[in-house]
Amino acid sequence: MPDVPPTATDLAQAVQARATTPQALLEAARARAEAARDLGALVSLNDRADEQAARVQARLDAGETLPLAGVPVVVKDNINVTGTRTTCGSRILANFVSPYDATAAARLRAAGAVILGKANMDEFAMGSSTESSASGPTLNPWDPARVPGGSSGGSAVAVAANITPVSLGSDTGGSVRQPAALTGIYGLKPTYGRVSRYGLVAYASSLDQIGPFARSAADLALLMNVIAGHDPCDATSLDAPPAFRAGTPDDLRGLRVGVIRESLEGNTAGVEAALGATLEALREAGASVREVSVPSVRHAIAAYYLIATPEASSNLARYDGMVYGERVPAGDVVSSMTLTRERGFGREVQRRIMLGTYALSSGYYDAYYAKAMKVRRLIAQDFARALAEVDVLVTPTSPFPAFRRGERTQDPLAMYAADVDTVAVNLAGLPALSVPAGFETVDARRLPVGVQFIAPALQDERLVALAGGLEAIGAVQVEVAPGYDA
């Protein structure tokens, strides 16, 4: 297996020990970003990155100890960073420059990180392939003819292609975990409220959550200890101080693992093999494994789209060209708003706005949205019952490895099915982690696959400890995509 490049933990320690400098790490990250430009992972670079690196050096010279000292990071382009464009992958925000930092971004900088730039994404986080961005698609570094997953595809590729060791994405129905699986890295969706949503551009407010990508459990712990915690700027933020650590084999002994029976259908042979190998490794490490049922997850996709799209319809009503963003001039206000939204929003965003508006309309609210909310409650109850019997649940992250670009763009239902194993977690507000679990060979190309672990609410630390235990026994396969490991 090729050598894995330095982790964020390694780099921060090297900077703190004066073995390198924040500016040197920034320049190296820029060079890697340029070398990987054809992948379309980044949509913009941070013009203030040099200032940030100099500020970190000054703080170190003053004697500060910084957990992310000089570590270059990219953040998804729906997370606000002062002075950078926040486009959300949309023409309607093509030239919007953020006047403030998202809390997660501010905490990264406070910990000594240097924000290299903004990562590509499906428009307004609505997609599973990062093909709908107004900046163009992001390519999977394991096979550029295939997608990296979405909507946080750019953030995933930045880590998988070694542009930066860690990154931030957002997860509304699987948008951190699914691209993590398809690019062979870790992706964590925290408990709803564990990480502040202040400064995250909303898609579906009751589902959205910022989460990290990384190549090691130690880096997951490092990042979560920085970005998690209560934020008075976010009314949904939880008062749950982070205490993350990478675990050891001791964390696996006696662990009760429940395989969700409903997730065992429709998977490719490679996904089944990776899941089986992970479960066998857990058994050999002293965990107990058995099947459990979460029957309502079969309805998760339908419920998700009847909840997420109405929230999107409401949240995206503000983009009318009247206050900020692009405006199409016309003879009257109504015509200007109509043209602005028609030309500013892409096809998938328009589709979801219309679906959501329909589901909320008079005569249909009770039949669709209200019923979906009842199913959401059933899903949460089923998860609670299952997690009363076991410590963690496990499923494939995606039933298949990366699919070809353009393969699903003309079939929305096929695209939505890519998230069949992930959306239920967001409906229930639970934490879940995609672990790189192996590879499946398709058309002579090795493609990564992932396994998803789900924990009870506020037990995010359990997932990261589990990941560290799996690493320690050699059950996790983390590789940088070939050609990007220098």
Side-chain angles (χ1 to χ4, degrees), residues 121-132:
M121 58 181 286
D122 280 303
E123 185 179 9
F124 280 101
M126 299 180 191
S128 304
S129 64
T130 316
E131 292 177 281
S132 68

Side-chain angles (χ1 to χ4, degrees), residues 186 188 212 216-222 224-225 243-248 251 433 453 455 459-471:
Y186 288 107
L188 175 64
S216 75
D219 279 4
L220 281 178
L222 178 63
M224 285 299 294
N225 283 331
F244 288 86
R245 62 176 181 83
T248 69
D251 292 285
L433 172 66
F453 289 94
Q459 296 301 314
D460 311 48
E461 284 88 344
R462 182 180 299 172
L463 297 175
V464 177
L466 183 157
L470 288 172
E471 280 183 14

Side-chain angles (χ1 to χ4, degrees), residues 15-38:
V15 170
Q16 201 75 52
R18 303 300 196 273
T20 186
T21 66
Q23 190 64 46
L25 296 186
L26 174 60
E27 292 303 329
R30 282 176 174 152
R32 293 192 298 269
E34 178 62 27
R37 176 185 282 190
D38 290 349

Side-chain angles (χ1 to χ4, degrees), residues 79 104 117 124 216 224 237 361 379 384:
I79 298 172
F124 280 101
S216 75
M224 285 299 294
S237 174
S361 62
I379 290 171

